[in-house]
Amino acid sequence: ILPGSGQNGIDLAREVRKANRDVAIMFITKTVQFAINGYEVDAVDYVVKPLVYEDFALKLKKAMRYILLHTEKFIVLNTKGGAVRIGESRIYYIEVMLHYLVVHTKKGDITVRGSMKSILPLLSASFARSANSYIVNLRHVENVKDNTVTVHGVPVPITKSYKAEFLRAFSAYNGVM
């Protein structure tokens, strides 16, 4: 903010939001009275000075989680019809059948030759294996019950050998850990 411009942090945040809905905004100020305005620009947090290191570190971790959740990562799938670039947020889950990956997406299924070993390094921490043949996008999980995870209305198995790690990843993704 330029001194004498008449613009404050909230005004600037409104301008930023017009241009980009996904930017993480955190206010750091000594003025408590405007904290409520942070909600109207969807601020991640509002930090009041003087800063206490432990509190500030927690707020930064929260901001980093927000950034990770709102940063779209893309992968390229080599299909028979050519290369397809797809954002991770559009993938519901991935299933392995023989030597093929069936990538279940918002626009339908994409089948490519591949293996778990080949696809796992391409995916972010928002994905977790639920079984030997399934990788689930944690952002699309509707519920987890017994040995099943429901992803976009589809029941996907969770096997005993992957259950503990899947639940740990699901909890971490949702900020429980």
Side-chain angles (χ1 to χ4, degrees), residues 27-32 34 46-50:
F27 292 100
I28 301 174
T29 183
K30 61 182 177 180
T31 310
V32 180
F34 297 113
Y46 201 95
V47 182
V48 180
K49 296 178 191 175

Side-chain angles (χ1 to χ4, degrees), residues 92-97 102 104 116 127-138 141 143-167 170:
Y92 295 128
Y93 64 97
I94 301 169
E95 184 177 5
V96 175
M97 288 191 227
V102 180
H104 300 275
M116 284 289 184
F127 287 83
R129 283 182 87 167
S130 66
N132 201 40
S133 300
Y134 290 92
I135 305 170
V136 172
N137 188 340
L138 300 171
V141 170
N143 68 53
V144 178
K145 186 175 180 186
D146 301 325
N147 296 322
T148 304
V149 54
T150 304
V151 183
H152 193 66
V154 178
V156 175
I158 302 174
T159 59
K160 189 175 185 177
S161 56
Y162 287 96
K163 190 169 190 172
E165 185 55 37
F166 179 83
L167 292 175
F170 183 63

Side-chain angles (χ1 to χ4, degrees), residues 5-172:
S5 70
Q7 193 177 39
N8 62 32
I10 296 293
D11 294 333
L12 180 61
R14 285 186 191 114
E15 297 289 321
V16 168
R17 277 290 172 251
K18 287 178 189 173
N20 188 330
R21 294 288 318 150
D22 294 329
V23 171
I25 296 174
M26 180 184 289
F27 292 100
I28 301 174
T29 183
K30 61 182 177 180
T31 310
V32 180
Q33 68 191 51
F34 297 113
I36 195 77
N37 296 73
Y39 288 106
E40 75 182 69
V41 293
D42 198 23
V44 174
D45 219 321
Y46 201 95
V47 182
V48 180
K49 296 178 191 175
L51 300 177
V52 175
Y53 176 79
E54 291 80 13
D55 295 338
F56 187 64
L58 286 173
K59 290 175 184 282
L60 277 180
K61 282 183 182 180
K62 178 182 175 185
M64 290 305 298
R65 271 197 317 269
Y66 177 92
I67 290 166
L68 289 172
L69 290 173
H70 290 87
T71 302
E72 180 73 281
K73 182 179 175 189
F74 290 85
I75 63 170
V76 176
L77 301 171
N78 293 310
T79 68
K80 288 182 181 177
V84 175
R85 183 174 177 259
I86 186 164
E88 284 189 345
S89 65
R90 299 192 171 286
I91 299 170
Y92 295 128
Y93 64 97
I94 301 169
E95 184 177 5
V96 175
M97 288 191 227
L98 299 173
H99 298 287
Y100 289 90
L101 299 168
V102 180
V103 182
H104 300 275
T105 75
K106 289 183 178 183
K107 289 190 173 185
D109 295 347
I110 300 170
T111 302
V112 296
R113 190 147 175 81
S115 65
M116 284 289 184
K117 192 175 184 177
S118 67
I119 195 78
L120 278 170
L122 304 177
L123 302 171
S124 71
S126 63
F127 287 83
R129 283 182 87 167
S130 66
N132 201 40
S133 300
Y134 290 92
I135 305 170
V136 172
N137 188 340
L138 300 171
R139 43 181 111 171
H140 294 294
V141 170
E142 294 167 1
N143 68 53
V144 178
K145 186 175 180 186
D146 301 325
N147 296 322
T148 304
V149 54
T150 304
V151 183
H152 193 66
V154 178
V156 175
I158 302 174
T159 59
K160 189 175 185 177
S161 56
Y162 287 96
K163 190 169 190 172
E165 185 55 37
F166 179 83
L167 292 175
R168 201 172 6 265
F170 183 63
S171 294

